[in-house]
Amino acid sequence: MTRTIPVDPTLEHGYDVRLLRSDFAELSQSWAERSAALRKNATVKLDRRYGPGEKDLMDLFLCGEKEAPLFVFIHGGYWQRGDKAMYSFVAESFLKAGVDVAIVGYELCPSATMASMAGKIRSALVWLWQNGAAEGINKDRINVSGHSAGGHLTGIALATDWPSFNLDVPKNLIKSGIPISGLFQLEPLLRTTISDALHLDESKAKALSPQFLPPATTAPILVTLGGGETPQFHWQADEFVAQWSTFEAPIEKYAEPDVDHFDVVNRLSSSESEIFRKTLAWLR
């Protein structure tokens, strides 16, 4: 899409947070290595296909506990980067605590659109409901989370009226939502180079912003982020919590102290962190 809206340097700096980490390549490599090690040592069912797309796959990590809750994690990467395999390490702390984990992959921009990505995540959650028993997971304890772009897609899932999407699925499919460093208003991204691959205009940005969608659930929602994130991410979280607080679903915000947009994910994978303990307590 040809750019028609000028780039705002403040927003570019506030949202393109990779530029704030000179060690981003090393961080990504460490995540990949930790994830590969966990896949070797955990009970895992890799590449379960939930749709026809090349990346319509998820990995299921099983803790071995009967009727365990399921923590569904949707990775970030501004809807155009990343892969589920890099994020296996997130499952480690949950497995130790008796929680099953699903790491979801999905088609990315520019080959996919934002609207189609929302549909992919909905299809993944429907697949978990329909195939949970066969895969050894509890379809009645699905808790949805995601980081950054995955936080946005978590918001979309919480705003989905499930029976209208699939008649086989109950309205209360999702038992809790935990978006992490989420992007709930997309319009500011139109003034950054991040949006160049996203197929968005102002109308589509608003229509796909969880901020402007009512929750289709009464499940509790914990909006989290790193305390050291940029003002733009804190604004996103604060605005979302204020808006969705007017609805029936209980909602709270938590900022993990002293960590940025990426280290908040490292904290989530640690059994000793407060964000992990809060997330664990949130699971239904």
Side-chain angles (χ1 to χ4, degrees), residues 136-164:
I137 58 177
N138 191 341
K139 70 176 185 178
D140 295 313
R141 301 189 69 182
I142 296 175
N143 302 267
V144 181
S145 182
H147 175 245
S148 196
H152 162 264
L153 292 167
T154 299
I156 291 291
L158 292 166
T160 297
D161 178 46
W162 292 102
S164 69

Side-chain angles (χ1 to χ4, degrees), residues 43 60-72 90-102 136-138 141-143 178 276 279-284:
T43 301
L60 302 177
F61 295 83
L62 305 181
C63 69
E65 299 289 335
K66 188 177 181 180
E67 302 301 322
L70 176 66
F71 180 74
V72 180
V90 171
E92 184 171 10
S93 54
F94 292 93
L95 293 174
K96 291 178 180 177
V99 177
D100 293 333
V101 179
I137 58 177
N138 191 341
R141 301 189 69 182
I142 296 175
N143 302 267
I178 308 105
F276 170 74
T279 298
L280 186 65
W282 221 257
L283 303 184
R284 300 298 186 265

Side-chain angles (χ1 to χ4, degrees), residues 199-213:
H199 308 291
L200 288 179
D201 55 28
E202 291 184 5
S203 176
K204 292 177 182 176
K206 185 170 184 178
L208 290 165
S209 292
Q211 176 78 19
F212 306 115
L213 303 173

Side-chain angles (χ1 to χ4, degrees), residues 11-284:
L11 294 179
E12 182 80 5
H13 182 79
Y15 285 112
D16 196 354
V17 288
R18 291 183 309 160
L19 301 178
L20 303 178
R21 290 291 297 257
S22 60
D23 65 340
F24 183 77
E26 292 83 357
L27 177 68
S28 298
Q29 182 63 29
S30 73
W31 286 1
E33 291 172 356
R34 290 170 61 192
S35 293
L38 182 66
R39 289 193 298 275
K40 286 183 179 180
N41 296 308
T43 301
V44 58
K45 298 181 177 183
L46 297 176
D47 295 332
R48 289 309 196 250
R49 178 165 293 284
Y50 68 83
E54 180 182 357
K55 291 195 171 187
D56 293 353
L57 303 165
M58 69 175 77
D59 297 336
L60 302 177
F61 295 83
L62 305 181
C63 69
E65 299 289 335
K66 188 177 181 180
E67 302 301 322
L70 176 66
F71 180 74
V72 180
F73 183 79
I74 308 165
H75 72 78
Y78 275 123
W79 308 274
Q80 56 197 288
R81 293 182 294 271
D83 183 85
K84 64 179 175 58
M86 182 183 292
Y87 293 89
S88 300
F89 77 95
V90 171
E92 184 171 10
S93 54
F94 292 93
L95 293 174
K96 291 178 180 177
V99 177
D100 293 333
V101 179
I103 310 287
V104 180
Y106 53 99
E107 295 291 303
L108 302 172
C109 292
S111 60
T113 66
M114 297 281 286
S116 70
M117 271 182 270
K120 298 289 188 183
I121 297 306
R122 293 182 179 117
S123 294
L125 293 171
V126 169
W127 186 92
L128 285 166
W129 167 264
Q130 293 175 334
N131 296 276
E135 295 289 354
I137 58 177
N138 191 341
K139 70 176 185 178
D140 295 313
R141 301 189 69 182
I142 296 175
N143 302 267
V144 181
S145 182
H147 175 245
S148 196
H152 162 264
L153 292 167
T154 299
I156 291 291
L158 292 166
T160 297
D161 178 46
W162 292 102
S164 69
F165 181 73
N166 188 302
L167 290 174
D168 292 336
V169 178
K171 186 173 181 64
N172 67 341
L173 171 71
I174 297 174
K175 296 303 187 285
S176 75
I178 308 105
I180 306 162
S181 307
L183 294 142
F184 308 107
Q185 295 188 53
L186 300 181
E187 189 277 334
L189 296 179
L190 297 178
R191 290 172 276 163
T192 74
T193 57
I194 293 164
S195 70
D196 290 350
L198 300 184
H199 308 291
L200 288 179
D201 55 28
E202 291 184 5
S203 176
K204 292 177 182 176
K206 185 170 184 178
L208 290 165
S209 292
Q211 176 78 19
F212 306 115
L213 303 173
T217 179
T218 58
I221 301 164
L222 180 65
V223 177
T224 69
L225 76 166
E229 299 214 38
T230 64
Q232 286 72 24
F233 277 91
H234 282 277
W235 176 82
Q236 289 272 352
D238 290 339
E239 289 285 304
F240 183 64
V241 170
Q243 176 65 18
W244 276 37
S245 291
T246 63
F247 299 106
E248 187 176 355
I251 187 168
E252 295 181 16
K253 176 192 172 186
Y254 171 70
E256 178 80 354
D258 305 321
V259 292
D260 67 6
H261 188 77
F262 302 103
D263 283 334
V264 70
V265 185
N266 283 327
R267 289 277 183 92
L268 184 68
S269 69
S270 169
S271 301
E272 305 304 316
S273 72
E274 185 64 18
I275 190 171
F276 170 74
R277 288 191 288 264
K278 283 185 174 291
T279 298
L280 186 65
W282 221 257
L283 303 184
R284 300 298 186 265

